[in-house]
Amino acid sequence: MSNVPVAVVTGSNKGIGLAIVRALCKQFPGDVYLTSRDPGRGQAAVAQLQQEGLQPLFHQLDIDDLQSIRALRDFLKEKYGGINVLVNNAGIAFKVHDTTPFAVQAEVTLKTNFFGTRNVCTELLPLMKPYGRVVNVSSMVSSSALGGCSQELQQKFRSDTITEDELVQLMTKFVEDTKKSVHEKEGWPNTAYGVSKIGVTVLSRIQARLLNEQRKGDHILLNACCPGWVRTDMAGPKATKSPDEGAETPVYLALLPSNADAPHGQFVSNKTVRPW
């Protein structure tokens, strides 16, 4: 078993994920794993970074596939005895003008962005080593979508006592409500991506609370963040930040020094804690 520290970035063969891997290869004192669904694309991204003189490693990971998540979990456990840094970056978004029915967009978007991310956390958080860092990449859209929710939903999503099961029920209800075309009547905003990222931000708050209760002495810090509006396939060419600029906040949170006790359980944008 290796004593080398290890960092894993999900969904990192392009865009912000690739930029996070690049920065970690330069700054993290250990092995950095670039992961992607498609091994070909992942290996190509690794080769690209190798040409820049960096040494990322590759492991296949499809966050929609529990077997794939568990294969990564078992590999990390066996080779490293755990994990030091986890950046949950993998996510999808439909384009604004996509004609896919909204109920389908809701189901597909939440499957990956919320349920997939949650499954990764369920399998990998128990492997986090003391002083580990977990970064869940959310979005400012989670804040604006929260503002578009009914007062009742806002109260639930801001609650300091909401459980993971209750959150899962709410996310499931959103998908069901879209299928019945009653989501707006039920107090939901008209953005599947936004609701999926509300889920990621609230999940992060819950996970941080559980770490405090169960592993207080391990000094693990877990946060959600917004990378900003970044020029990627997802956000398009008009966005204001380059991928490397978008990676700054996630990397800052991934590399919080071992003597730091904050931020934890926060929503962070431009390296600043934002109100939720």
Side-chain angles (χ1 to χ4, degrees), residues 12-274:
S12 49
N13 61 292
K14 62 179 183 177
I16 296 167
L18 181 63
I20 292 170
V21 170
R22 177 185 288 117
L24 288 177
C25 282
K26 294 174 183 173
Q27 299 174 60
F28 178 75
D31 291 348
V32 180
Y33 278 85
L34 182 153
T35 70
S36 73
R37 271 186 306 204
D38 180 319
R41 288 180 182 171
Q43 300 287 10
V46 165
Q48 180 190 333
L49 292 178
Q50 284 171 339
Q51 285 177 336
E52 297 175 23
L54 305 172
Q55 297 297 321
L57 298 159
F58 176 73
H59 201 287
Q60 192 274 342
L61 174 67
D62 177 356
I63 73 166
D64 285 344
D65 177 358
L66 200 50
Q67 292 316 109
S68 171
I69 296 171
R70 287 178 172 159
L72 174 63
R73 173 200 69 190
D74 294 345
F75 167 78
L76 291 167
K77 204 171 184 173
E78 199 175 318
K79 178 154 189 191
Y80 297 94
I83 180 171
N84 303 86
V85 169
L86 172 62
V87 181
N88 281 307
N89 168 74
I92 60 163
F94 284 84
K95 296 279 185 270
V96 175
H97 300 296
D98 196 299
T99 53
T100 306
F102 188 67
V104 177
Q105 293 194 26
E107 185 155 36
V108 170
T109 305
L110 267 78
K111 181 184 178 197
T112 298
N113 294 2
F114 177 73
F115 291 101
T117 299
R118 175 177 176 251
N119 284 340
V120 172
C121 291
T122 301
E123 300 298 333
L124 296 189
L125 288 189
L127 296 189
M128 291 308 300
K129 293 186 173 183
Y131 301 98
R133 303 289 180 253
V134 184
V135 185
N136 294 331
V137 177
S138 184
S139 167
M140 276 325 260
V141 179
S142 70
S143 273
S144 55
L146 181 68
C149 288
S150 66
Q151 285 303 314
E152 186 190 356
L153 281 172
Q154 288 189 40
Q155 217 171 345
K156 286 177 178 171
F157 287 132
R158 288 196 171 108
S159 161
D160 290 328
T161 55
I162 185 174
T163 65
E164 193 170 323
D165 285 345
E166 287 167 341
L167 178 61
V168 166
Q169 282 169 2
L170 285 166
M171 293 289 115
T172 306
K173 183 179 186 307
F174 170 69
V175 174
E176 295 306 318
D177 287 348
T178 63
K179 288 179 182 172
K180 297 181 216 152
S181 300
V182 297
H183 62 283
E184 287 179 280
K185 196 171 107 238
E186 290 290 318
W188 297 102
N190 224 1
T191 161
Y193 183 75
V195 172
S196 76
K197 291 302 192 179
I198 289 176
V200 171
T201 303
V202 176
L203 182 65
S204 306
R205 287 160 57 89
I206 294 168
Q207 290 167 339
R209 202 172 73 219
L210 290 175
L211 284 168
N212 284 348
E213 290 165 12
Q214 296 161 6
R215 299 185 61 181
K216 187 68 180 160
D218 284 347
H219 306 283
I220 297 166
L221 298 180
L222 182 154
N223 293 284
C225 72
C226 170
W229 192 29
V230 180
R231 291 188 291 279
T232 60
D233 290 352
M234 197 187 273
K238 294 195 176 93
T240 46
K241 285 186 176 183
S242 70
D244 289 328
E245 288 168 333
E248 284 176 12
T249 293
V251 169
Y252 153 74
L253 292 170
L255 298 177
L256 285 168
S258 57
N259 62 352
D261 55 10
H264 179 55
Q266 301 292 342
F267 180 56
V268 180
S269 169
N270 289 328
K271 303 186 188 173
T272 308
V273 171
R274 305 290 174 183

